[in-house]
Amino acid sequence: MSNESSTKSGSVKTGEPIIKCEEVHKWYGNFHVLRGVNMDVHKGEVVVVFGPSGSGKSTFIRCINRLEEHQKGRIIVDGIELSHDVRNIAAIRKEVGMVFQQFNLFPHLTVMQNITLGPIYVRKWNKDKAEEIAMQLLERVGIPEQAQKYPGQLSGGQQQRVAIARALAMQPKIMLFDEPTSALDPEMIKEVLEVMEELAESGMTMIVVTHEMGFARAVADTMYFFDEGQIVESGTPEEVFMNPQEDRTKLFLSQILQH
Amino acid sequence: MTFKKSDHGAVPFWRDERYLQIIAQVVVVAALLVLGYWLVHNLLTGLEALGTPLSFKFLGLTSQFDIGESMIEYSRNSTYTQALLVGLLNTIKVSFLGIVFATIFGIIVGIARLSKNWLVNKLATIYVETLRNIPLLVFLIFLSTSVFHKLPRVKDALSAWGWAFLTNRGIYIVWPQPSGGWDVYKWFLLGSFIIGFIVAAIKFREGRRTGRMPLYWLWGFVVFALLAAVSWFIAQFMAGQPMYLDFPSLQGRNFKGGKSLTPEFMAIFTGLVIYTSAFIAEVVRAGIQSVSKGQREAATAVGLSGFQTMRLVIFPQAMRVIIPPMTSQYLNLTKNSSLAIAVGYPDLFAVGSTIINQAGRAVEIILVTMGVYLTFSLLTALFMNWYNKHTQLVER
């Protein structure tokens, strides 16, 4: 893993945050998943969200592009408030890319078609431009030779890199990663993390739900520890790893860092 | 006892699995041939003993019975062959229309079952669960005796604003009829169709080139409809009004004009459509649900609209799951149309049964009937398999 100080994205936490979450609540029936989450993310900031399973961290990032609906509180992305206004929702989805745990590539389309689908149909680019940019992205994630293959022909790590390229093709201002390496074989985790590190260094605003603590230490600007639908503790990786304040954070870290 | 290390070829053939497999197959085929020969021989000698050896010559004789409805010229002086042909065409008519309408209703109900709207969802569920669980024969007889034959008498006909009349002798609906300008207009119509087709093809190629596939069939249809509308007025100017609407009207004791549909046809047609659409609805629902939730989420996250997600991501994947069971529903509908005999609609099987009663040629007629249904089914299956291959997605 590379040297800490040089890999940090070095964002400046001044001015309006690009994502602003105030007192976000969500219920699944009677189950209170999110219990008042507050988070500000600035342009270029890399945020790592971690915590035990069922703590609401995935639900939280899925609220940011409205895959899940929050029921109380406010979420403002790039100056647009998430409400029931479908135009706002569509505008935010254009600015926010997402990478899933299970890749969710479209199995009936080639890698190239997977990547160009959004740009062609949503951004209304012509095919040549979309394919040119898709090719650049495939080179960036290191698999330009797979362009004409179908997702089923690729390894898990390659599929996840295609999924990252697909999200980037929409030229989003923000990228959300929902446990991007949890479904991967150990030897493929590294290739995906390297792509994500490169992306963080390029200045992309990222929220990453992950248990890859090496990755967090290397590139995160801020870490948030989630438990039972709340942010229990937050801070820079140094603060969280070296000097956690809360007992629950200490316990969780000791459990995942032992291995 | 010791096992010898057997070198190749030293094993006796009755212990060699390769020979045993071949021997088993030969034995089975031989047994089937013997059984088949015995059955056919038995049938032929039996018929011989009855004095009616197997022969299809009687098909050329005069039928001497009337048929309720026919798409071709037919009278009691026509031959048995012509009678069978009438039945065959009636079967094709009800099966074809049945498949088209059952597909449309099935898709609507299937999608309604996935609706988040409580009322729509529950209505669709009740539709499917009720109709799937009533035997088709019972349902058909219900439709025939309790619905279409229980409509008001002709003089009290139920009128739908004069556009349609419901009576116990049939349903009469308004229908376009060609008039003066038709001879000119039909060529305009053909031209409009060709131009519409070309526009669709151009749009399709444009879609291939740009990667953004337009709704090319919709383009073709709209162009066709517009041209047909414009050329209507040109034809009217050139040679008079091309078509007029023929309204049914009560003349004497019966309705004249328009299009008439007999209660027998309505019973078998609506019965097959409603019954089969319940199954098709389930096929469609299962197909759409087979596409994982993650696909929809990924499409949403990329920014596709609900319609685009359905059209570009969900539907192409659902089709793979939908087509094979859809094929068997089409085959079922075609075969189930033979229940028409229960409601008095003269389909192939009903006409065949009449001929059996009259000519006493059961074996021959049943052979012809089975042959026809088999041909239909194989043709449908062939087409659907071709379509399936066409939509099958290369995944690996």
Side-chain angles (χ1 to χ4, degrees):
Chain A
M1 209 52 58
S2 41
N3 183 321
E4 271 188 40
S5 57
S6 65
T7 51
K8 289 297 163 67
S9 59
S11 69
V12 197
K13 288 194 190 180
T14 52
E16 268 300 288
I18 193 164
I19 302 173
K20 200 170 171 58
C21 302
E22 288 173 1
E23 279 300 307
V24 175
H25 286 265
K26 178 168 178 64
W27 288 263
Y28 284 129
N30 285 327
F31 178 54
H32 201 168
V33 213
L34 297 179
R35 302 163 177 250
V37 177
N38 291 292
M39 187 187 289
D40 284 356
V41 181
H42 289 80
K43 197 166 183 336
E45 189 176 351
V46 177
V47 169
V48 163
V49 175
F50 69 110
S53 63
S55 60
K57 53 195 191 310
S58 283
T59 307
F60 170 68
I61 72 162
R62 288 157 61 87
C63 282
I64 294 172
N65 69 346
R66 198 53 160 215
L67 288 181
E68 306 275 355
E69 189 183 326
H70 64 285
Q71 284 129 3
K72 227 176 111 187
R74 303 174 72 191
I75 298 177
I76 299 161
V77 181
D78 198 22
I80 309 165
E81 170 149 18
L82 264 182
S83 62
H84 289 285
D85 184 345
V86 286
R87 232 169 52 193
N88 281 5
I89 296 172
I92 286 175
R93 283 182 182 148
K94 269 192 196 175
E95 304 306 332
V96 181
M98 186 155 191
V99 175
F100 300 87
Q101 184 177 354
Q102 299 294 342
F103 329 138
N104 295 344
L105 293 178
F106 307 129
H108 60 298
L109 301 177
T110 62
V111 165
M112 181 56 87
Q113 289 167 331
N114 262 278
I115 300 174
T116 55
L117 191 70
I120 287 176
Y121 280 89
V122 181
R123 290 254 186 241
K124 312 280 181 202
W125 292 351
N126 66 43
K127 194 181 177 185
D128 292 341
K129 181 181 175 193
E131 289 193 343
E132 195 188 314
I133 289 179
M135 220 47 222
Q136 289 169 5
L137 286 168
L138 280 174
E139 263 156 40
R140 192 167 166 192
V141 300
I143 40 173
E145 72 283 357
Q146 311 288 0
Q148 297 311 322
K149 290 200 182 154
Y150 285 88
Q153 298 168 304
L154 305 184
S155 73
Q158 291 172 327
Q159 289 194 43
Q160 193 61 300
R161 286 189 277 163
V162 173
I164 294 172
R166 176 176 70 180
L168 289 175
M170 287 296 287
Q171 305 197 323
K173 293 182 178 155
I174 300 154
M175 285 281 285
L176 307 175
F177 294 83
D178 188 3
E179 304 205 29
T181 55
S182 301
L184 292 174
D185 290 339
E187 77 270 24
M188 292 169 183
I189 291 176
K190 192 165 160 275
E191 64 188 53
V192 171
L193 288 181
E194 278 170 1
V195 169
M196 290 168 62
E197 280 172 27
E198 187 268 322
L199 193 60
E201 282 164 32
S202 75
M204 175 64 76
T205 311
M206 294 163 64
I207 303 183
V208 185
V209 174
T210 187
H211 292 141
E212 294 295 333
M213 288 303 137
F215 170 80
R217 203 187 283 268
V219 298
D221 294 300
T222 322
M223 295 180 69
Y224 291 87
F225 176 60
F226 261 64
D227 195 21
E228 295 180 342
Q230 283 173 318
I231 294 171
V232 175
E233 180 154 5
S234 66
T236 63
E238 292 81 48
E239 290 163 359
V240 172
F241 286 121
M242 300 306 176
N243 189 19
Q245 302 296 311
E246 299 288 329
D247 288 342
R248 278 188 284 179
T249 321
K250 285 177 196 163
L251 181 67
F252 184 77
L253 281 174
S254 73
Q255 281 166 344
I256 62 168
L257 290 178
Q258 262 167 17
H259 301 288
Chain B
M1 194 177 145
T2 56
F3 286 100
K4 275 181 213 154
K5 217 178 166 189
S6 61
D7 44 333
H8 282 295
V11 187
F13 76 89
W14 62 85
R15 259 172 46 206
D16 188 326
E17 60 170 5
R18 291 169 302 179
Y19 285 106
L20 287 175
Q21 277 173 5
I22 294 170
I23 291 167
Q25 289 181 34
V26 169
V27 168
V28 169
V29 170
L32 283 176
L33 281 176
V34 169
L35 183 70
Y37 174 78
W38 180 74
L39 285 172
V40 170
H41 180 75
N42 210 13
L43 176 73
L44 292 177
T45 49
L47 286 173
E48 206 103 20
L50 284 171
T52 55
L54 192 70
S55 153
F56 291 91
K57 284 206 185 101
F58 74 98
L59 288 173
L61 301 176
T62 312
S63 73
Q64 293 174 337
F65 61 82
D66 289 316
I67 296 181
E69 55 190 290
S70 169
M71 290 163 72
I72 53 170
E73 206 66 43
Y74 175 85
S75 75
R76 52 171 47 230
N77 297 322
S78 306
T79 61
Y80 283 130
T81 312
Q82 282 168 311
L84 281 175
L85 189 62
V86 169
L88 176 65
L89 289 172
N90 282 341
T91 292
I92 293 176
K93 175 173 145 190
V94 78
S95 304
F96 177 76
L97 290 174
I99 285 174
V100 171
F101 281 84
T103 307
I104 296 170
F105 283 121
I107 290 174
I108 293 172
V109 176
I111 291 172
R113 275 206 83 179
L114 293 169
S115 167
K116 284 187 192 131
N117 183 311
W118 185 88
L119 184 68
V120 171
N121 185 311
K122 286 289 169 283
L123 282 177
T125 306
I126 291 169
Y127 180 91
V128 168
E129 291 306 335
T130 315
L131 292 163
R132 274 202 312 173
N133 294 310
I134 296 174
L136 178 55
L137 182 57
V138 176
F139 185 53
L140 286 175
I141 289 176
F142 164 78
L143 285 177
S144 171
T145 58
S146 313
V147 178
F148 291 107
H149 282 291
K150 282 288 186 300
L151 289 170
R153 286 183 299 180
V154 168
K155 63 184 170 66
D156 311 316
L158 279 175
S159 163
W161 305 283
W163 291 74
F165 293 91
L166 309 181
T167 79
N168 62 357
R169 277 203 210 154
I171 289 171
Y172 301 86
I173 49 177
V174 66
W175 204 254
Q177 290 288 347
S179 59
W182 173 248
D183 279 336
V184 178
Y185 186 57
K186 68 181 175 194
W187 296 112
F188 281 137
L189 216 50
L190 182 69
S192 311
F193 181 80
I194 292 172
I195 294 173
F197 188 82
I198 291 171
V199 167
I202 290 172
K203 280 282 163 192
F204 181 79
R205 289 189 63 174
E206 181 193 304
R208 274 284 163 80
R209 203 182 65 245
T210 61
R212 180 165 47 242
M213 188 58 78
L215 296 168
Y216 57 92
W217 45 269
L218 191 65
W219 272 94
F221 179 77
V222 168
V223 167
F224 164 71
L226 281 177
L227 286 177
V230 171
S231 57
W232 172 280
F233 294 105
I234 301 173
Q236 187 166 27
F237 178 73
M238 283 167 64
Q241 189 169 328
M243 285 194 278
Y244 68 97
L245 280 179
D246 189 17
F247 284 90
S249 62
L250 192 56
Q251 285 169 17
R253 319 183 94 207
N254 232 328
F255 276 95
K256 290 264 155 53
K259 177 98 184 153
S260 71
L261 301 164
T262 64
E264 292 81 16
F265 173 78
M266 287 308 293
I268 183 73
F269 171 70
T270 47
L272 287 174
V273 165
I274 293 173
Y275 181 78
T276 313
S277 68
F279 287 89
I280 291 181
E282 282 299 89
V283 169
V284 170
R285 179 181 68 90
I288 293 174
Q289 279 183 334
S290 74
V291 182
S292 78
K293 208 170 138 235
Q295 291 290 311
R296 188 184 292 270
E297 288 179 352
T300 308
V302 160
L304 297 179
S305 70
F307 177 72
Q308 286 173 329
T309 302
M310 200 67 199
R311 176 178 161 225
L312 302 168
V313 176
I314 310 290
F315 194 66
Q317 295 185 61
M319 279 312 271
R320 286 180 301 174
V321 182
I322 288 175
I323 288 174
M326 194 78 119
T327 310
S328 36
Q329 288 309 322
Y330 289 172
L331 298 182
N332 278 348
L333 188 145
T334 310
K335 289 181 290 178
N336 285 340
S337 73
S338 62
L339 288 171
I341 194 170
V343 295
Y345 177 71
D347 78 324
L348 177 66
F349 183 60
V351 172
S353 300
T354 312
I355 298 177
I356 289 175
N357 285 335
Q358 201 163 311
R361 291 287 184 166
V363 176
E364 290 86 346
I365 291 294
I366 294 296
L367 281 178
V368 169
T369 312
M370 289 198 303
V372 168
Y373 281 113
L374 191 63
T375 314
F376 272 179
S377 299
L378 290 179
L379 284 177
T380 313
L382 213 63
F383 172 75
M384 292 302 280
N385 285 346
W386 168 80
Y387 186 67
N388 195 22
K389 260 218 179 95
H390 185 72
T391 54
Q392 200 77 31
L393 306 155
V394 207
E395 247 183 79
R396 270 163 248 284

